[in-house]
Amino acid sequence: MIESIPPLQQHYKTLVRNLHCHGTDHGQGPVTEECQLPLIDLNGLNSLDERERLECAAAICSASSEWGFFQVVNHGISPELLKNMKTEQLNLFGAPFEQKATCGLLNNSYRWGTPSATRPTQYSWSEAFHIPVTKISDQACYGDGFSSLREEMEEFAGAMSNLAELLAGILVNNLGHRKEALQDICDSSTCFLRLNRYPACPISPEMFGLVPHTDSDFLTILSQDEVGGLQLLKDSKWVAVKPNQDALIVNIGDLFQAWSNDVYKSVEHKVMANEKRERYSIAYFMCPSYDSLIGSCRSQSSIYRNFSFRDYRNQVQQDVQKLGRKVGLSRFRLR
């Protein structure tokens, strides 16, 4: 049988052996509860009742400030499209590991594990394709056997882009700016789509599928399956997010926290691997162009210095290489 799963176990065991390490606290403390994220019905935005429209917008802004995460239903992305994407995702990740790793699929964007990890607690038990939206239409990215994936990805990315612009516009408008403010620096040509697979992990129930992190973007929208594993930091405690098959998950990224002057919160989160079941998800990242200045919605009292997306990404990469972890926004804080 040709193996589709990357050699995660061998790589991980090498890390453990090199450090003479026997067991680590991957979970960084116990999860005390399973939480239900704020659930927002986006039908409210189309209500004929102005009060209902305002209440829906206010709920989005409140969740972004208090949680940094929320769920949306009636989001405009059809169940059929989500189902088709899952089918294509299963087919893609079911390809032999060597094909995924060496054939340049999806703009040669395949990645697995954590190449920069020097210790087990920095290791992610997962594989992914992280593709620029601009490359989704490029037939050369798909090779043999994945021609139907392109059509589904194009439709999916377009729908996610529309939803991201809608939500970002509401959040921007709440801070006194025109809804299109972020569209001046963010459009579909600067955004990314990430297809994730978290294989079942036989080593430990405390293994990270994705290490704790914040997102280096403005806004992330996530479609996930029923397996679960997503956890976020709330009131200094890790809480598990209960999967909801009817909802998409939205979270604030570092750039929106900086632009909003800390009104909206980019919250640390992680994925825990499952011992028996593999997990699939797809994330859409709303990003600016690399040379766009992020700035602040309150330029006279900004708590961050101006920086470009390129500056931010470079700093994150430097910190990961030197420290083994992302430091993030604190590098750019003025006070």
Side-chain angles (χ1 to χ4, degrees):
M1 179 179 178
I2 299 176
E3 183 60 70
S4 70
I5 298 175
L8 296 164
Q9 191 162 340
Q10 296 93 309
H11 194 190
Y12 175 79
K13 286 182 176 179
T14 299
L15 287 176
V16 173
R17 187 164 55 247
N18 288 346
L19 286 175
H20 306 288
C21 181
H22 301 283
T24 53
D25 179 16
H26 290 278
Q28 295 189 355
V31 176
T32 57
E33 62 181 280
E34 185 177 58
C35 74
Q36 182 75 45
L37 293 177
L39 183 63
I40 300 170
D41 185 345
L42 295 187
N43 272 345
L45 297 175
N46 301 316
S47 173
L48 297 177
D49 187 328
E50 182 181 15
R51 179 181 58 82
E52 290 182 0
R53 295 197 301 272
L54 293 174
E55 286 179 351
C56 185
I60 292 169
C61 299
S62 176
S64 299
S65 296
E66 296 175 16
W67 283 80
F69 271 79
F70 56 95
Q71 301 176 98
V72 293
V73 293
N74 292 315
H75 40 66
I77 301 177
S78 73
E80 181 181 9
L81 176 57
L82 293 171
K83 180 181 178 181
N84 290 346
M85 273 302 304
K86 175 66 180 294
T87 299
E88 295 292 345
Q89 196 173 6
L90 288 169
N91 182 48
L92 177 65
F93 282 110
F97 167 67
E98 290 298 328
Q99 181 181 3
K100 291 181 288 190
T102 63
C103 291
L105 290 172
L106 296 182
N107 197 45
N108 199 32
S109 63
Y110 180 69
R111 57 193 65 184
W112 63 275
T114 311
S116 62
T118 58
R119 58 194 325 107
T121 51
Q122 297 168 353
Y123 199 71
S124 294
W125 192 273
S126 57
E127 59 177 328
F129 288 90
H130 191 88
I131 181 172
V133 169
T134 52
K135 292 294 183 178
I136 289 176
S137 298
D138 187 352
Q139 183 62 50
C141 287
Y142 294 87
D144 296 331
F146 304 105
S147 58
S148 59
L149 173 61
R150 180 169 68 115
E151 183 178 339
E152 299 298 340
M153 284 188 66
E154 285 180 325
E155 184 178 355
F156 185 80
M160 286 292 225
S161 176
N162 291 338
L163 179 58
E165 289 181 5
L166 172 67
L167 296 172
I170 290 168
L171 293 167
V172 165
N173 192 239
N174 179 59
L175 297 176
H177 290 255
R178 59 188 181 88
K179 289 184 176 182
E180 298 78 16
L182 290 191
Q183 293 180 27
D184 294 341
I185 58 173
C186 295
D187 60 40
S188 60
S189 69
T190 61
C191 299
F192 292 82
L193 203 62
R194 182 181 176 105
L195 282 65
N196 300 301
R197 179 198 195 187
Y198 302 90
C201 177
I203 292 179
S204 168
E206 293 300 306
M207 176 72 72
F208 291 136
L210 195 59
V211 296
H213 66 286
T214 56
D215 289 350
S216 301
D217 63 351
F218 272 102
L219 200 68
T220 304
I221 305 176
L222 180 75
S223 171
Q224 64 168 350
D225 63 19
E226 76 286 353
V227 174
L230 177 63
Q231 299 179 8
L232 61 89
L233 205 57
K234 175 65 173 169
D235 300 326
S236 301
K237 297 178 181 179
W238 287 107
V239 294
V241 175
K242 185 177 181 180
N244 182 339
Q245 288 297 283
D246 297 322
L248 297 176
I249 293 177
V250 182
N251 67 276
I252 300 297
D254 298 341
L255 304 186
F256 224 147
Q257 176 170 327
W259 189 88
S260 70
N261 227 30
D262 280 2
V263 173
Y264 305 134
K265 301 299 189 294
S266 180
V267 172
E268 192 171 19
H269 53 286
K270 62 186 179 182
V271 175
M272 302 305 297
N274 190 292
E275 283 187 281
K276 298 180 179 180
R277 301 181 65 188
E278 59 183 13
R279 174 182 184 265
Y280 291 87
S281 67
I282 309 175
Y284 179 89
F285 298 96
M286 185 181 187
C287 301
S289 61
Y290 284 123
D291 294 318
S292 295
L293 283 179
I294 304 308
S296 170
C297 67
R298 298 171 182 169
S299 57
Q300 300 303 313
S301 58
S302 176
I303 58 178
Y304 297 99
R305 63 180 173 87
N306 285 345
F307 58 90
S308 69
F309 187 34
R310 187 185 304 276
D311 294 334
Y312 194 73
R313 282 177 58 91
N314 288 343
Q315 184 64 62
V316 168
Q317 291 169 359
Q318 289 175 24
D319 287 334
V320 169
Q321 291 173 359
K322 292 180 180 179
L323 306 175
R325 62 182 178 85
K326 172 183 172 180
V327 177
L329 279 177
S330 60
R331 292 289 196 197
F332 298 85
R333 190 178 288 271
L334 292 172
R335 58 180 188 273

